[in-house]
Amino acid sequence: MRRETVAAPVSNFQKLKERATPGRGGSPPGLPVFSGVEAVLAVADFAAAVAFFTQKLGFAVDFSYGDPPFYGVVERDRARICLRLVHEPVFVGDIRRREELLSAAITLAGASAVDDLFRGYQAAGVDFHQALTTQPWGARTFIVSDPDGNLILFAGPGG
């Protein structure tokens, strides 16, 4: 009995991946280029969330929408976070803390930047879910908890 080897069909995703810029994760030529991504955080008190991000974390308000506001964006440098007012809990109990379910991850350019930012947030009285630490893979990270329990990771390369 003769056996034939049949190649698995190549998916459209695999074809796109093969055309991508090697080692850069870039879009293949001729396809739209992603210019950014923004986290959307659910908040129970829109004004309190804006105050936390602007007064404690050093963000600025890009815009807010509604009367009273129920949606808006805060930004700092190239990091943008959308805030969305919700009237009921989005997560059950303390699952975010127990499972470390991140709402956003913000990267910094260097280890000293991560260390300096952590110290600045400490001085501002920010609540930390995880203090500054070096991860087994070398990254320097810390996790902030906002007034709604959203966990925001700050990370940079190890020093």
Side-chain angles (χ1 to χ4, degrees), residues 6-49:
V6 177
V10 178
S11 70
N12 285 338
F13 177 75
Q14 183 62 33
K15 289 176 189 175
L16 291 175
K17 190 174 172 185
E18 289 168 1
R19 290 181 18 209
T21 306
R24 300 233 355 162
S27 293
L31 292 181
V33 175
F34 295 163
S35 63
V37 64
E38 298 175 7
V40 179
L41 277 59
V43 299
D45 182 331
F46 188 83

Side-chain angles (χ1 to χ4, degrees), residues 91-99:
F91 293 95
V92 176
D94 68 343
I95 191 162
R96 285 187 286 192
R97 281 194 172 283
R98 284 186 291 114
E99 297 292 331

Side-chain angles (χ1 to χ4, degrees), residues 47-82:
V50 168
F52 172 79
F53 279 93
T54 57
Q55 296 169 16
K56 297 274 189 175
L57 301 187
F59 282 70
V61 175
D62 179 31
F63 74 89
S64 60
Y65 178 78
D67 186 20
F70 65 88
Y71 183 81
V73 173
V74 293
E75 61 186 357
R76 178 171 172 173
D77 303 319
R78 292 175 49 199
R80 293 171 54 85
I81 296 178
C82 305

Side-chain angles (χ1 to χ4, degrees), residues 2 5 7 11 24 29 49 58 63 65-66 135 137 142 148 153 156 158:
R2 187 173 153 220
T5 304
S11 70
R24 300 233 355 162
F63 74 89
Y65 178 78
Q135 298 296 340
W137 52 90
F142 65 90
D148 290 286
L153 170 77

